[in-house]
Amino acid sequence: MHRTKVRIVEDALDANNTIARANRDDFDRHGVTVVNFMSAPGAGKTTLLERTIADLDGVRAGVLEGDVEGSMDADRLSALHVPVVQLNTASGFGGECHLDANMVRSALAALPLEEIDLLVIENVGNLVCPAEFRVGEDLRVMVSAVTEGEDKPLKYPLMFRACDLVIVNKIDLLPHLDISVERLLANVEAVHPGVPTMLVSARTGEGIDAWRDWLVNATNRAAAPA
Ligand SMILES: Nc1nc2c(ncn2[C@@H]2O[C@H](COP(=O)(O)OP(=O)(O)OP(=O)(O)O)[C@@H](O)[C@H]2O)c(=O)[nH]1
Ligand SMILES: [Mg+2]
């Protein structure tokens, strides 16, 4: 019984990876770098995009917004006049707590891939499931807000391990918290040795230039001839 369950999960992940590869082929054909942007609900993903996405040093960016319901985040980003497509998992996808490759594939026709160099996929806010489903991305970034506590890397290691960059956000709130950033960073290092980290505040703008540079460099590196 237990073995059957494991088998089904493995089959589902295999199927997801096959569709993720097809997405990746489409992104590659259009020369689009894709970042899968993940975090717990409310860590600051949309705010970090609001701060950067319309001002990327010539890199033309678009956003695929994943939410269970609603278009609040997509509306916020549309105000910046970048192409934004909303994907609701409650509409035909069972209200899933993550995006998968098939959902992203269903949105491809609505995305102006020929007009952008970078696509940021803001995943559904969740610290567990999004890390298990590749969607055809080149890179994965997660945000960990200091308000979540310093133990999260130890409790949700898969998410921290799956990422190419960990952004520690809301550092403006540190004076009001008893969290130790040093311990948080040590816990990140313990579960994912060597992963780059960035300390930022989407509220004050501290560290935002480094985040913007990371997005620009990631796009340009992917576009450079091998
Ligand atoms: N103090 C402070 N608040 C922040 C910062 N970044 C985001 N916030 C606030 O945190 C709340 C959630 O931010 P969002 O950007 O919507 O977070 P999100 O990760 O996109 O949320 P979901 O898409 O719902 O998962 C908002 O009220 C933001 O204004 C920050 O650096 N400092
Ligand atoms: Mg958001």
Side-chain angles (χ1 to χ4, degrees):
M1 186 67 153
H2 187 65
R3 199 172 296 152
T4 309
K5 262 191 202 164
V6 170
R7 182 64 199 271
I8 289 168
V9 171
E10 280 176 357
D11 287 351
L13 288 175
D14 281 352
N16 183 74
N17 285 339
T18 301
I19 302 171
R21 271 193 296 275
N23 291 348
R24 183 66 189 274
D25 287 346
D26 284 350
F27 295 136
D28 284 349
R29 205 169 31 254
H30 288 91
V32 177
T33 301
V34 179
V35 172
N36 187 355
F37 200 27
M38 304 180 282
S39 80
K45 299 180 295 300
T46 308
T47 314
L48 286 163
L49 292 178
E50 283 179 306
R51 279 274 190 179
T52 50
I53 205 79
D55 179 24
L56 286 177
D57 204 14
V59 168
R60 301 166 304 164
V63 180
L64 179 58
E65 258 304 330
D67 284 296
V68 176
E69 278 196 53
S71 64
M72 281 87 82
D73 287 0
D75 294 343
R76 284 164 65 186
L77 294 166
S78 300
L80 302 171
H81 307 293
V82 292
V84 182
V85 172
Q86 177 77 55
L87 188 52
N88 282 144
T89 65
S91 308
F93 298 111
E96 289 282 9
C97 56
H98 60 271
L99 296 179
D100 66 21
N102 187 43
M103 296 177 206
V104 169
R105 190 140 197 86
S106 76
L108 285 189
L111 287 163
L113 294 181
E114 61 292 337
E115 293 168 21
I116 58 176
D117 311 304
L118 169 69
L119 176 68
V120 179
I121 300 178
E122 182 180 333
N123 217 308
V124 180
N126 185 310
L127 221 40
V128 182
C129 310
E132 294 179 26
F133 292 87
R134 293 218 159 254
V135 294
E137 70 273 49
D138 297 278
L139 294 158
R140 306 171 114 197
V141 177
M142 77 156 298
V143 187
S144 184
V146 290
T147 43
E148 293 166 32
E150 61 207 25
D151 55 357
K152 293 303 166 290
L154 305 179
K155 295 168 92 168
Y156 303 93
L158 182 61
M159 173 63 83
F160 286 82
R161 251 179 230 135
C163 287
D164 301 289
L165 171 70
V166 176
I167 299 178
V168 175
N169 189 31
K170 306 197 185 182
I171 58 170
D172 57 292
L173 295 177
L174 284 173
H176 309 288
L177 305 169
D178 56 8
I179 178 179
S180 155
V181 171
E182 289 69 33
R183 271 200 297 273
L184 170 60
L185 293 176
N187 289 339
V188 171
E189 179 67 19
V191 300
H192 189 166
V195 67
T197 56
M198 237 175 234
L199 300 184
V200 310
S201 166
R203 169 66 51 82
T204 66
E206 189 175 350
I208 287 294
D209 285 347
W211 167 225
R212 180 183 294 108
D213 290 349
W214 189 94
L215 284 169
V216 171
N217 289 336
T219 309
N220 291 340
R221 232 189 351 261

